[in-house]
Amino acid sequence: CNLADLQQPSNAMAPPPADQSLVLIALGQGTQNYTCANSTATPTAIGALAQLFNASCAVAQGSLGSIEEDGASIGAHFFLDDTTPDFDIIGLGNTVAKKVEAVPAPQATDVPWLRLEAQQEASTSPVRQIYRLNTVGGVAPESCQGQQGVITVEYEAQYWIY
């Protein structure tokens, strides 16, 4: 399918530069992960873990809900440490990224939308930017009361890859 004229959902983040083209929209399904040191602590983000599926054609055709063109994962999204996202995608290679911008999701129950920049010296892919958009879920509990250790919260997001 043709992604050339596809526009991102409206957001306040900087758009990709004109010399970068959209190569993939991946649906990420997994968990946002938090930790609680004790019951009086506030949950602390420790990254995410998600399987990635090719959602390019489904989004291009106007389907913005949960998308799976087929059951085969095209890769994974995980964290190298508490702040360093990594995307390992079949056919594109490995992209180590850095968060450079965040805006609140339209719904407070969803994790923020992000713009990530590839760290070229640590990556093996031609990817330069990744936008996390159309998020669903993933927000940490308000407190650690009654919880300790790692807390996983299911989420889904579209990753627009340039």
Side-chain angles (χ1 to χ4, degrees), residues 25-106:
I25 300 171
L27 174 69
Q29 294 178 324
T31 59
Q32 292 288 319
N33 304 311
Y34 306 91
T35 188
C36 285
N38 58 57
S39 64
T40 61
T42 300
T44 303
I46 56 170
L49 180 61
Q51 282 194 295
L52 301 174
F53 302 90
N54 187 341
S56 298
C57 292
V59 173
Q61 295 165 1
S63 175
L64 296 177
S66 293
I67 303 155
E68 281 189 54
E69 291 183 341
D70 59 47
S73 171
I74 61 165
H77 164 45
F78 53 93
F79 274 63
L80 299 176
D81 56 38
D82 291 351
T83 62
T84 309
D86 192 293
F87 293 80
D88 192 8
I89 301 173
I90 297 168
L92 285 178
N94 185 265
T95 305
V96 176
K98 175 182 174 184
K99 180 173 74 172
V100 292
E101 200 169 359
V103 297

Side-chain angles (χ1 to χ4, degrees), residues 32-34 42-45 109 111 137-143 151 153:
Q32 292 288 319
N33 304 311
Y34 306 91
T42 300
T44 303
T109 55
V111 288
V139 174
E142 290 185 22
S143 75
I151 301 165
V153 182

